[in-house]
């Protein structure tokens, strides 16, 4: 809205709603009705799912878990900006558990800068990457018909994140565990990329959770991350 010079009133008139509704979208994170959201996104020149990823969620999803915010058929459907925006909003914790996830730095080459800024503001940042020479990483390459490419991507990921080694508040480690899910956590939200045998991560399903209370689905993944982190080895500076 700021980039296009839109006011709350102007956008409200364009899509046929009350200006207070637009204020709620902006200030309270409310999600408009689907038809209204499509109109607003068209007016703004943005992707409707980038603005309101909740609209991808099946109607029955909340009956399954109240913690489920959004569901995507495959990771490629998720705008990378959703992850970087979550990281930028973090106040207490950012956790990343992957084998490589080089798509993050490919889309945002300066990704390390906001991570440094969050750490300087008191946020704890932990990044766990796959150990390129581990049997589990090599096995994943064979399962996905990726061959040695996955090992190369793990080394590339380590190169991308290595400048963060030694930065106060940031930990970068490598792990050798079987990666059942890639995790991207920002405070009380986590994006989970499930892994499917024989399918590359970008084509595997993904869901976003918001913590709803002790012992919920969010806590299951948070505990899993902590368990992997405890086995991981700090990435050397060189």
């Amino acid at each position: 809205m700021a980039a296009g010079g839109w006011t709350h009133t102007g956008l409200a008139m364009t899509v046929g709603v009350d200006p207070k509704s637009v204020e709620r979208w902006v200030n309270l994170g409310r999600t408009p009705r689907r038809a209204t959201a499509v109109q607003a996104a068209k007016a703004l020149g943005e992707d409707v799912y980038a603005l309101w990823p909740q609209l991808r969620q099946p109607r029955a999803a909340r009956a399954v878990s109240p913690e489920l915010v959004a569901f995507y058929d495959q990771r490629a459907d998720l705008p990378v900006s959703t992850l970087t925006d979550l990281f930028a909003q973090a106040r207490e914790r950012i956790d990343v558990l992957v084998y490589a996830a080089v798509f993050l730095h490919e889309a945002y080459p300066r990704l390390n800068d906001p991570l440094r800024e969050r750490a300087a503001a008191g946020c704890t940042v932990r990044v766990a990457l796959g150990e390129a020479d581990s049997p589990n990483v090599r096995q994943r390459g064979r399962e996905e018909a990726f061959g040695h490419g996955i090992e190369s991507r793990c080394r590339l990921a380590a190169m991308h994140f290595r400048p963060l080694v030694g930065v106060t508040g940031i930990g970068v480690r490598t792990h050798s565990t079987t990666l059942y899910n890639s995790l991207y956590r920002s405070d009380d939200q986590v994006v989970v990329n499930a892994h499917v045998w024989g399918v590359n991560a970008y084509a595997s399903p993904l869901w976003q959770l918001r913590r709803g209370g002790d012992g919920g689905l969010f806590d299951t993944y948070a505990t899993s991350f902590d368990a992997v982190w405890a086995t991981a080895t700090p990435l050397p500076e060189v």
Side-chain angles (χ1 to χ4, degrees):
M1 287 176 64
W6 288 92
T7 64
H8 292 165
T9 301
L11 184 58
M13 292 178 62
T14 299
V15 300
V17 298
D18 188 277
K20 289 184 178 180
S21 295
V22 178
E23 290 181 16
R24 295 187 187 99
W25 303 344
V26 175
N27 298 324
L28 300 179
R30 299 284 177 80
T31 301
R33 295 176 181 272
R34 182 177 296 274
T36 303
V38 171
Q39 284 184 282
K42 183 176 180 180
L44 294 170
E46 296 288 342
D47 180 80
V48 66
Y49 298 121
L51 297 177
W52 294 289
Q54 296 89 334
L55 291 175
R56 288 186 183 273
Q57 179 184 337
R59 290 184 180 274
R62 289 198 178 275
V64 176
S65 172
E67 293 186 301
L68 185 59
V69 174
F71 181 86
Y72 299 83
D73 290 341
Q74 54 185 13
R75 193 196 72 198
D77 292 336
L78 177 79
V80 180
S81 59
T82 299
L83 294 176
T84 56
D85 288 347
L86 280 174
F87 294 157
Q89 295 164 13
R91 295 296 176 265
E92 298 179 358
R93 181 174 301 283
I94 294 173
D95 288 337
V96 177
L97 171 62
V98 296
Y99 270 167
V102 294
F103 72 93
L104 290 173
H105 280 92
E106 288 173 348
Y108 289 88
R110 301 193 181 204
L111 175 67
N112 291 353
D113 291 340
L115 295 180
R116 287 192 189 93
E117 292 172 4
R118 291 293 82 227
C123 184
T124 298
V125 179
R126 300 184 295 177
V127 179
L129 307 171
E131 171 53 57
D133 295 322
S134 74
N136 284 323
V137 167
R138 293 174 177 173
Q139 181 64 27
R140 176 58 55 80
R142 290 190 289 270
E143 292 171 355
E144 296 184 355
F146 216 147
H148 295 296
I150 184 66
E151 299 162 35
S152 299
R153 291 175 78 81
C154 285
R155 294 189 176 94
L156 181 58
M159 182 190 74
H160 285 317
F161 283 104
R162 185 166 275 115
L164 298 178
V165 173
V167 176
T168 301
I170 299 180
V172 183
R173 299 183 182 182
T174 58
H175 69 96
S176 300
T177 64
T178 301
L179 191 66
Y180 298 105
N181 301 282
S182 294
L183 305 177
Y184 308 88
R185 176 184 176 181
S186 170
D187 291 341
D188 285 346
Q189 295 194 64
V190 63
V191 173
V192 181
N193 185 189
H195 294 296
V196 180
W197 198 96
V199 179
N200 193 277
Y202 71 82
S204 296
L206 177 147
W207 49 85
Q208 182 178 348
L209 303 172
R210 179 180 289 110
R211 189 173 188 270
D214 293 341
L217 192 54
F218 175 94
D219 283 355
T220 297
Y221 289 111
T223 300
S224 175
F225 180 94
D226 290 340
V228 173
W229 187 254
T231 71
T233 303
L235 183 72
E237 292 190 36
V238 292

